[in-house]
Amino acid sequence: MATDTDEFWQILKENALQIKKLAHKFGGFTEGLALPSMETILRDHFGMEIISPSVRASKQGQHLEIDVLAYANGDINTAYIVEVKSHVREEAIDQLKSLLERFRTFFPEHSYKKLYGILAAVDLSTGLKERILKEGLYVARIHDEVFEMNTPSDFQPKQW
């Protein structure tokens, strides 16, 4: 016979699962919102030729998920990893840095390219923006429903 406690825990588990699904959908919505603007930025501002949303890779039991991967060969010979967040928290910086550090292991065909990171955010505090820039990562923010670069003109990005 089920007790009230058992029923409570079952409802709590079901609610937690629904919240997780909703958060995943909202993340996908944010990434979808960012993609058209980021494509324009990556092509026009950085000269990227290939722009791929939602790139997933697996190698030796390890997994890597990139919101947007962009690259160009030839004279540009550069790749960008874009991490899209609706609300940036401190751990988003470490997450992007980890993606950059692990990238060449999963994509050895790009090992000779310069590699940079962009954190695209809907909501971002001034303090976190300064920390992101200090880490050598580009910042893009949403303005009038369009993402725009939000990096000072004298910014020197870190090459990974």
Side-chain angles (χ1 to χ4, degrees):
M1 171 162 53
T3 66
D4 287 341
T5 304
D6 292 337
E7 186 176 337
F8 169 79
W9 287 111
Q10 182 61 34
I11 291 170
L12 190 62
K13 282 181 185 178
E14 290 172 11
N15 285 342
L17 181 61
Q18 292 301 320
I19 290 169
K20 185 176 180 179
K21 287 179 181 179
L22 184 60
H24 182 72
K25 286 183 180 183
F26 187 67
F29 171 76
T30 304
E31 290 169 21
L33 177 68
L35 186 60
S37 303
M38 289 309 305
E39 282 183 350
T40 301
I41 290 168
L42 290 162
R43 283 191 209 294
D44 297 350
H45 191 76
F46 296 111
M48 295 296 98
E49 300 164 340
I50 309 298
I51 300 169
S52 301
S54 192
V55 176
R56 292 177 175 86
S58 296
K59 193 173 214 174
Q60 300 173 346
Q62 299 292 313
H63 305 283
L64 191 74
E65 186 174 334
I66 298 171
D67 292 341
V68 181
L69 170 62
Y71 62 91
N73 299 310
D75 293 338
I76 295 174
N77 202 36
T78 301
Y80 287 86
I81 292 176
V82 181
E83 184 66 17
V84 180
K85 296 290 182 190
S86 55
H87 178 76
V88 177
R89 292 181 183 86
E90 193 78 23
E91 56 268 12
I93 299 167
D94 295 330
Q95 181 182 4
L96 179 52
K97 287 171 53 179
S98 174
L99 288 172
L100 290 159
E101 290 165 357
R102 299 169 56 213
F103 177 77
R104 294 179 202 287
T105 301
F106 285 85
F107 298 94
E109 64 274 22
H110 296 298
S111 62
Y112 56 91
K113 287 182 171 61
K114 295 175 276 187
L115 179 62
Y116 300 99
I118 301 173
L119 192 55
V122 173
D123 182 36
L124 174 65
S125 72
T126 303
L128 273 177
K129 176 187 172 189
E130 294 306 316
R131 169 128 190 278
I132 293 165
L133 295 172
K134 189 175 182 180
E135 293 286 343
L137 303 167
Y138 286 98
V139 176
R141 301 271 311 264
I142 194 163
H143 178 70
D144 292 335
E145 298 180 17
V146 175
F147 278 85
E148 299 173 342
M149 289 305 293
N150 192 233
T151 307
S153 59
D154 61 348
F155 173 70
Q156 294 297 312
K158 178 177 179 179
Q159 183 176 321
W160 297 83

